């Protein structure tokens, strides 16, 4: 891999792919003639992929993992072109180069490995290579006189390469320049000889070709517009979330939970295999218009209110609710969580209760109604009198944005590197693009989860603006057709380039009707679907593992006795808890790389719509998982499963083994067609690890 100085830019990230620079490339400034006109460019770069919205937004990748780039590049005539992939960290002065390999039909491919999280640029450079073109033509010449002329032409090209070598090194002494001049003399000597084989050998010397390749004439090179790349740590790709309310973590019925109680709960969460512990807002809660149990408008003395009504006399977004503990307790929790392999994620809800200090110290940050009162949040017919939305369009918007950025910075300083952002689609898109870029410039390991259950284009836009992960519609996708269609969409381009799904079967806001009164089998099947269809998923617990299934009323997605408005006591040692299954499924995820990526998902055919089947494999490792899930919670279902053996890399003529990682049974299968039967009262799913017969090779092209 070459490493060269970045030098003067030839464009900027975000330029449209259809621009002159991308379509035909620009030549180096040194190639301009005396009249100031650019030298002609014959190499064409028609496309650079992957690319999001013509380079307006960044593609997403993971540090330490290969990022593959394809280019469509060619030139007029029959000359040989060379194509290189160039990349650098956005604020570095050094470009790295990787030679791109031809794949046919003028498509070129190369990859590089971004070493650390951060923002990068990548571009493609292509040029007509005079010496390679000469060598290609020379290999087809057979007439002696023709060979002699060609050898002299080759010698001229080598002397020019020697001059470039001297110019690049700043001196004309020894090294490549001397060797190139030596080869030039050898070609001229061969040209006056009579030995045909000697002439051909001189021109086709492999060492000569490699040396000439190192000093090409790139003065007429085409350069694509540089494209942006956001590189995150692995947890952006693969994460397993557990949400819990600290105030309900008390082991004593009726006592307000504390951060120390959460600390005591860490072994329980870690034992289930989670790596992110997400806490709803931990800030002081307003008292004005405080909501009572089940979202009633009148709170009684002692009612705790909604954690999302942020702000009181005790402070705002940078303070902790006194009943939960102190900042020292929080620091201890962060450190202890790390000891258990957990990261603490905080909810960031940019809204205020009427008691928030901002309301009196920064009244210009809020909208006013005609009667002069502050506009509370509403989504008619719903009204949230205990919440004031911030006005991102206020005349003092710059100060508002800076203050909100400082909220992130405050908690980052306390060790928080993951934020779940509440309702980002109700705040200014421009704010998110700015603040995420600012934060990640200083703290590239910080991750942002977008909680936006809104229209698809808005959800995708937020992901493009910089959110590391995004909530999805999984909660409302229940049938085989719905699940197949939705996850096929998420895995297709361009979505998979920028949108990382984080799927949740439940949240404190959403008890989907599918879970109303649902038996254990539904909770088990939805858990398995979430954990195997998506590389990142989460559950709101202990409500999920204890199978909380009572809605506030028929058709409502609100829980009866919702934890959002009151303390709950959760008997986590309950014998019929799903915690054991959760731990097993999460262990399977950790042990199988195929379940740790968005790529490599393929749905398989079944002749029963109550059974959904799909396979996942890691594109770079020999790991293949096949899941089959019974979507009928009440009845045993069976089907004939039709496998795509070619995609799976399995020889149809040879047997293969499947290990059921849930039931701990193994089976030998033959061919594509296999029988499945699943009883939801026993286990509603199989998670098979597929073991191909030794010696069976996988065709990588079939897996793309």
């Amino acid at each position: 891999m070459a490493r060269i100085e970045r030098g003067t830019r030839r464009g900027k990230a975000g330029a449209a792919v259809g621009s002159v620079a991308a379509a035909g490339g620009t030549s180096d400034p040194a190639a301009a003639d005396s009249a100031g006109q650019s030298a002609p460019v014959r190499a064409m770069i028609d496309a650079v992929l992957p690319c999001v919205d013509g380079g307006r937004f960044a593609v997403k990748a993971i540090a330490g993992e290969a990022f593959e780039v394809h280019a469509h590049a060619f030139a007029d005539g029959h000359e040989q072109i060379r194509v290189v992939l160039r990349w650098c960290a956005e604020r570095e002065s050094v470009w790295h180069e990787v030679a791109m390999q031809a794949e046919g039909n003028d498509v070129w491919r190369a990859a590089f490995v971004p070493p650390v999280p951060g923002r990068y640029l990548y571009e493609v450079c292509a040029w007509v290579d005079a010496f390679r073109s000469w060598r290609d033509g020379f290999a087809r010449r057979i007439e002696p006189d023709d060979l002699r002329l060609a050898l002299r032409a080759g010698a001229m090209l080598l002397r020019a390469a020697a001059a470039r070598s001297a110019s690049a090194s700043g001196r004309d002494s020894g090294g490549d320049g001397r060797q190139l001049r030596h080869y030039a003399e050898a070609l001229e000597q061969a040209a006056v000889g009579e030995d045909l084989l000697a002439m051909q050998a001189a021109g086709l010397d492999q060492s000569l070709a490699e040396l000439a390749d190192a000093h090409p004439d790139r003065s007429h090179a085409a350069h694509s517009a540089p494209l942006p790349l956001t590189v995150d740590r692995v947890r952006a790709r693969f994460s397993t979330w557990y949400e819990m309310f600290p105030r309900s973590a008390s082991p004593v019925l009726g006592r307000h939970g504390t951060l120390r109680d959460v600390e005591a709960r860490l072994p329980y969460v870690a034992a289930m295999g989670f790596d992110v512990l997400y806490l709803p807002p931990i800030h002081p809660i307003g008292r004005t218009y405080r909501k009572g149990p089940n979202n009633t408008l009148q709170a009684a003395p002692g009612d705790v209110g909604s954690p999302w009504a942020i702000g009181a006399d005790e402070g705002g977004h940078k303070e902790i609710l006194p009943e939960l503990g102190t900042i020292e307790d929080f620091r201890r929790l962060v450190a202890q969580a790390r000891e258990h392999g957990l990261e603490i994620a905080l909810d960031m809800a940019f809204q205020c209760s009427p008691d928030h200090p901002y309301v009196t110290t920064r009244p210009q940050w809020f909208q006013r109604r005609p009667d002069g009162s502050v506009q509370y949040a509403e989504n008619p017919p719903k009204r949230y009198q205990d919440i004031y939305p911030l006005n991102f369009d206020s005349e003092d918007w710059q100060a508002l944005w800076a203050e909100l950025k400082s909220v992130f910075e405050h908690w980052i300083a306390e060790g928080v590197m993951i934020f779940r952002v509440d309702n980002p689609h109700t705040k200014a898109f421009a704010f998110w693009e700015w603040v995420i870029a600012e934060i990640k410039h200083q703290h590239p390991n910080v991750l942002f989860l977008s909680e936006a259950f809104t229209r698809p284009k808005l959800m995708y836009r937020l992901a493009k603006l910089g959110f590391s992960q995004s909530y999805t519609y999984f909660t409302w996708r229940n049938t085989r057709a719905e699940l197949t269609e939705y996850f096929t969409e998420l895995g297709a381009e361009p979505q998979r380039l920028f949108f990382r799904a984080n799927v949740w079967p439940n949240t404190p806001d959403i008890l989907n009707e599918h879970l109303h009164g649902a038996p254990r089998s539904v909770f088990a099947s939805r858990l398995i679907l979430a954990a195997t269809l998506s590389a990142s998923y989460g559950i709101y617990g202990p409500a999920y593992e204890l199978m909380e299934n009572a809605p506030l009323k028929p058709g409502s997605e609100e829980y009866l006795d919702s934890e959002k408005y009151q303390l709950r006591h959760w008997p986590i040692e309950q014998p019929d808890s799903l915690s054991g299954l959760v731990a097993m499924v999460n262990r399977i995820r950790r042990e199988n790389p195929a379940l740790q990526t968005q790529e490599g998902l393929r749905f398989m055919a079944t002749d029963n719509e109550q059974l959904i089947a799909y396979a996942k494999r890691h594109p770079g490792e020999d790991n293949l998982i096949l899941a089959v899930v019974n979507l009928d919670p009440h009845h045993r279902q069976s089907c004939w499963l039709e496998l795509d053996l070619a995609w799976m890399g399995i020889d149809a003529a040879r047997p293969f083994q499947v290990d059921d990682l849930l039931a701990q049974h193994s089976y030998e299968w033959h061919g594509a067609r296999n029988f499945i039967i699943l009883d939801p009262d026993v286990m509603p799913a199989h998670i098979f690890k597929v073991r191909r017969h030794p010696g069976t090779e996988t065709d990588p092209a079939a897996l793309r």
Side-chain angles (χ1 to χ4, degrees):
M1 178 189 295
R3 183 174 182 270
I4 62 176
E5 288 302 310
R6 181 170 176 178
T8 304
R9 298 297 308 134
R10 284 175 290 274
K12 64 179 181 179
V17 164
S19 67
V20 173
T26 59
S27 61
D28 286 346
D33 62 23
S34 59
Q37 299 296 316
S38 296
V41 175
R42 295 179 57 203
M44 294 284 126
I45 303 171
D46 214 28
V48 177
L49 304 170
C51 175
V52 177
D53 291 0
R56 166 65 177 87
F57 298 107
V59 177
K60 292 175 181 173
I62 298 297
E65 299 181 0
F67 176 68
E68 189 170 281
V69 176
H70 287 81
H72 301 174
F74 46 86
D76 56 275
H78 300 288
E79 281 107 332
Q80 299 288 306
I81 69 166
R82 289 175 63 186
V83 187
V84 295
L85 169 63
R86 293 159 48 89
W87 64 275
C88 70
E90 190 174 48
R91 289 174 171 84
E92 283 187 353
S93 60
V94 174
W95 282 87
H96 307 271
E97 287 194 352
V98 183
M100 302 193 79
Q101 304 300 316
E103 289 198 322
N105 196 26
D106 296 316
V107 176
W108 300 75
R109 178 184 60 83
F112 69 92
V113 178
V116 295
R119 179 89 164 184
Y120 292 76
L121 298 172
Y122 61 99
E123 67 178 20
V124 170
C125 174
W127 66 93
V128 173
D129 189 280
F131 191 81
R132 282 197 179 185
S133 298
W134 172 86
R135 193 170 186 267
D136 178 65
F138 184 84
R140 298 195 298 272
R141 299 182 190 278
I142 57 176
E143 297 294 333
D145 289 341
D146 202 18
L147 286 169
R148 292 188 182 96
L149 287 172
L151 287 168
R152 294 190 183 101
M156 293 174 62
L157 293 173
L158 292 177
R159 287 196 172 89
R164 288 192 295 275
S165 173
S167 175
S169 63
R171 60 186 184 277
D172 188 12
S173 60
D176 289 359
R178 179 180 298 175
Q179 291 186 58
L180 286 164
R181 288 191 294 274
H182 171 75
Y183 274 120
E185 292 171 2
L187 292 190
E188 288 184 336
Q189 290 176 6
V192 299
E194 297 294 334
D195 188 336
L196 183 65
L197 292 178
M199 286 190 284
Q200 291 173 328
L204 299 177
D205 183 284
Q206 184 60 33
S207 297
L208 165 60
E210 293 171 1
L211 186 59
D213 271 355
H215 301 281
D217 179 4
R218 292 169 61 163
S219 60
H220 297 184
H223 292 263
S224 69
L227 298 171
L229 177 70
T230 295
V231 176
D232 290 309
R233 56 192 173 108
V234 171
R235 191 146 288 168
R237 169 174 55 76
F238 173 59
S239 57
T240 312
W241 293 53
Y242 186 83
E243 179 178 5
M244 64 177 290
F245 283 71
R247 68 189 190 185
S248 294
S250 171
V252 179
L253 178 65
R255 178 172 71 78
H256 195 291
T258 67
L259 295 175
R260 289 297 183 101
D261 292 327
V262 176
E263 183 182 330
R265 191 73 63 85
L266 292 175
Y268 169 79
V269 178
M272 285 190 290
F274 293 97
D275 49 45
V276 178
L277 175 57
Y278 154 47
L279 308 180
I282 59 173
H283 316 299
I285 297 172
R287 297 173 177 85
T288 301
Y289 297 119
R290 176 175 286 193
K291 297 296 184 71
N294 291 314
N295 200 22
T296 56
L297 297 180
Q298 298 297 323
D303 283 344
V304 291
S306 167
W308 283 271
I310 297 169
D313 292 341
E314 298 87 349
H317 286 75
K318 297 177 184 178
E319 282 73 42
I320 295 175
L321 180 72
E323 289 87 342
L324 292 177
T326 65
I327 190 63
E328 288 75 21
D329 293 329
F330 182 78
R331 291 166 183 161
R332 177 185 168 98
L333 174 62
V334 171
Q336 289 299 307
R338 194 175 297 118
E339 292 295 318
H340 285 84
L342 289 159
E343 275 193 75
I344 297 296
L346 281 189
D347 193 296
M348 196 57 66
F350 285 146
Q351 58 204 26
C352 301
S353 85
D355 304 323
H356 197 293
Y358 291 161
V359 177
T360 54
T361 63
R362 296 289 188 271
Q364 69 274 23
W365 290 352
F366 300 90
Q367 288 184 338
R368 300 279 169 174
R369 296 190 295 178
D371 62 0
S373 61
V374 178
Q375 174 66 61
Y376 55 74
E378 58 181 347
N379 183 16
K382 293 182 179 180
R383 296 191 296 175
Y384 307 93
Q385 297 92 334
D386 58 338
I387 293 174
Y388 289 169
L390 292 160
N391 181 10
F392 285 78
D393 296 326
S394 75
E395 293 183 358
D396 195 31
W397 66 270
Q398 290 176 306
L400 170 61
W401 291 21
E403 172 62 17
L404 298 182
K405 174 175 175 281
S406 77
V407 174
F408 282 118
E409 292 170 333
H410 173 85
W411 293 108
I412 291 170
E414 297 297 346
V416 178
M417 302 299 285
I418 304 179
F419 297 95
R420 179 267 199 188
V421 178
D422 187 70
N423 284 331
H425 60 292
T426 63
K427 286 78 179 176
F429 285 165
F431 167 75
W432 293 122
E433 185 168 21
W434 171 78
V435 77
I436 292 174
E438 288 288 308
I439 293 295
K440 290 184 76 67
H441 171 55
Q442 297 295 327
H443 309 282
N445 283 320
V446 171
L447 304 178
F448 298 87
L449 170 62
S450 166
E451 187 260 357
F453 296 113
T454 182
R455 303 188 302 280
K457 289 182 175 58
L458 274 67
M459 294 169 67
Y460 288 156
R461 185 72 171 194
L462 288 163
K464 292 175 183 178
L465 293 175
F467 279 93
S468 316
Q469 297 181 351
S470 305
Y471 278 62
T472 71
Y473 298 140
F474 168 77
T475 318
W476 298 275
R477 300 296 184 264
N478 297 301
T479 69
R480 184 177 75 170
E482 290 170 343
L483 290 163
T484 301
E485 179 182 20
Y486 188 51
F487 282 91
T488 298
E489 174 190 335
L490 295 181
E493 289 194 13
Q495 291 81 231
R496 71 176 185 85
L497 302 177
F498 60 83
F499 188 89
R500 297 191 186 110
N502 191 326
V503 306
W504 294 68
N506 75 327
T507 76
D509 294 302
I510 304 169
L511 178 69
N512 183 263
E513 196 165 2
H514 197 65
L515 296 177
H516 290 187
R520 180 186 184 88
S521 58
V522 174
F523 284 86
S525 64
R526 295 298 289 176
L527 169 80
I528 292 167
L529 286 166
T532 55
L533 280 168
S534 177
S536 291
Y537 91 102
I539 61 172
Y540 154 52
Y544 198 85
E545 66 266 30
L546 298 183
M547 295 167 283
E548 185 87 348
N549 64 4
L552 179 62
K553 57 185 178 181
S556 170
E557 290 191 333
E558 287 281 356
Y559 289 83
L560 179 64
D561 300 325
S562 171
E563 195 172 4
K564 292 190 298 181
Y565 308 105
Q566 65 189 76
L567 300 181
R568 292 291 304 269
H569 179 72
W570 299 104
I572 59 174
E573 303 301 330
Q574 190 170 300
D576 65 343
S577 169
L578 279 177
S579 59
L581 177 62
V582 173
M584 181 185 299
V585 170
N586 286 339
R587 186 184 71 249
I588 292 170
R589 281 165 52 84
R590 290 195 307 273
E591 294 174 352
N592 291 277
L595 298 176
Q596 301 170 18
T597 176
Q598 290 188 162
E599 300 180 51
L601 172 65
R602 179 68 65 95
F603 287 92
M604 303 292 168
T606 69
D607 60 3
N608 182 344
E609 289 195 0
Q610 293 295 335
L611 290 166
I612 186 171
Y614 47 93
K616 291 192 77 174
R617 66 164 299 120
H618 192 282
E621 301 193 33
D622 187 18
N623 184 237
L624 178 61
I625 295 294
L626 171 68
V628 187
V629 182
N630 183 357
L631 303 178
D632 182 345
H634 304 293
H635 304 98
R636 185 167 56 178
Q637 296 286 345
S638 63
C639 74
W640 283 100
L641 168 66
E642 193 74 30
L643 299 175
D644 186 341
L645 295 182
W647 182 87
M648 298 171 72
I650 294 174
D651 185 346
R654 309 179 75 175
F656 58 97
Q657 180 176 311
V658 294
D659 301 332
D660 188 341
L661 303 178
L662 292 173
Q664 302 295 307
H665 292 152
S666 295
Y667 308 91
E668 185 173 82
W669 284 1
H670 299 260
R673 191 169 169 82
N674 295 275
F675 185 72
I676 296 289
I677 186 167
L678 282 168
D679 185 341
D681 292 331
V682 178
M683 179 63 71
H686 293 301
I687 302 178
F688 293 118
K689 183 173 184 178
V690 181
R691 302 182 186 274
R692 293 187 296 272
H693 192 284
T696 301
E697 299 296 329
T698 302
D699 178 10
L703 304 177
R704 291 180 188 149

